[in-house]
Amino acid sequence: DLRDQLQSRLLAECGPAIVNGADAPRLPNTLSIAFPGLDGEALLVALDLAGVCCSLGSTCASGSAEPAPALVAMGCPPDILRSSIRLSLGVDNSAAEIEEAANRIVQVVTQLRTISSSSN
């Protein structure tokens, strides 16, 4: 439920956004989401500075800037691979924490999109 709460908020407020594997069975605690037009590494750094932990690659390659092998195997286009992050939730996360994380992610994505559009 918390993953779906986070997903709904991000899709509603950070569009365009794409949930990777949305139509496939997924882990209940993991959200892989792409924000087309944004650079995943810049997003990763900005979210870290905002206090949101996420990753670019797979869980077995923490710290890697390479795209998640699962996304590559799914045939995701390069712009989706470059703009995807993975958010993992734990059993101790609360709805309030997910709401705060969503607020921070929305703020960061909005800021990065503003910067990106003003530099074009």
Side-chain angles (χ1 to χ4, degrees):
D1 290 341
L2 293 178
R3 182 209 59 200
D4 293 345
Q5 174 188 339
L6 179 59
Q7 176 179 309
S8 294
R9 267 294 297 287
L10 298 182
L11 288 174
E13 298 182 38
C14 293
I18 297 168
V19 174
N20 297 308
D23 296 330
R26 297 182 290 151
L27 293 172
N29 70 321
T30 305
L31 174 61
S32 176
I33 189 166
F35 300 98
L38 294 183
D39 177 70
E41 290 185 46
L43 186 56
L44 180 75
V45 169
L47 287 172
D48 182 53
L49 292 172
V52 176
C53 297
C54 64
S55 68
L56 297 177
S58 62
T59 55
C60 56
S62 289
S64 172
E66 294 298 313
L71 297 181
V72 174
M74 289 168 49
C76 292
D79 63 321
I80 299 302
L81 293 174
R82 279 191 303 274
S83 63
S84 290
I85 60 169
R86 181 180 42 83
L87 299 155
S88 298
L89 289 67
V91 295
D92 293 328
N93 286 123
S94 67
E97 289 171 326
I98 298 308
E99 190 65 22
E100 181 60 28
N103 290 338
R104 293 178 188 195
I105 296 167
V106 167
Q107 181 178 23
V108 165
V109 168
T110 301
Q111 287 174 341
L112 290 177
R113 285 219 167 108
T114 301
I115 292 167
S116 177
S117 67
S118 66
S119 66
N120 288 335

